[in-house]
Amino acid sequence: MEKQKLPNATAVLVLGILSILTCCCWGVIGLILGIVALVLAKKDLALYAENPEQYEGYSNINTGRVLAIIGIVLSAIYLVVNVYMYVVLGEEGIKDFQENLIEKIKHQQEME
């Protein structure tokens, strides 16, 4: 009997990669994509566990799942840092911080 591909193997892998690539979009997009990838991976892993000799693509599911977890962690860290910055510094404090950083960089470039 010919093996079937797991239905969401490619989708999980792509979503896992995208969750890492978009983790710096306020942390929300990467978080959403990572969670969707984990849900799809869970469904396919359950399907694979029922009848492993019937399906192929387990490595894509496993890799996508790991990438989704990494994307979720990075997105969560970025989201927490953003919330912390707004709570502690506020919008004006962040603008001042950015302006001071830009001035320091310009000053260093002038010194070179």
Side-chain angles (χ1 to χ4, degrees):
M1 186 170 172
E2 187 177 325
K3 288 188 172 187
Q4 296 177 330
K5 289 187 86 174
L6 287 166
N8 298 319
T10 305
V12 170
L13 186 60
V14 169
L15 288 171
I17 293 168
L18 288 175
S19 72
I20 292 175
L21 293 176
T22 58
C23 69
C24 292
C25 297
W26 289 99
V28 176
I29 295 174
L31 199 61
I32 292 169
L33 293 176
I35 291 171
V36 170
L38 284 181
V39 169
L40 291 176
K42 184 178 179 183
K43 289 179 183 179
D44 274 8
L45 287 175
L47 190 63
Y48 182 81
E50 289 176 9
N51 200 355
E53 61 274 346
Q54 185 179 357
Y55 295 103
E56 65 180 18
Y58 177 77
S59 61
N60 283 351
I61 291 289
N62 203 27
T63 304
R65 188 171 156 261
V66 169
L67 292 173
I69 291 169
I70 293 170
I72 288 172
V73 169
L74 290 175
S75 296
I77 290 170
Y78 193 77
L79 184 63
V80 168
V81 167
N82 280 330
V83 169
Y84 175 77
M85 293 286 280
Y86 271 102
V87 168
V88 172
L89 297 177
E91 194 169 334
E92 287 297 318
I94 293 173
K95 287 180 184 178
D96 290 340
F97 175 76
Q98 290 173 340
E99 289 172 2
N100 289 335
L101 187 62
I102 290 171
E103 287 179 23
K104 285 181 184 179
I105 292 171
K106 286 181 181 178
H107 182 68
Q108 286 179 351
Q109 289 176 348
E110 291 172 358
M111 297 297 285
E112 294 176 350

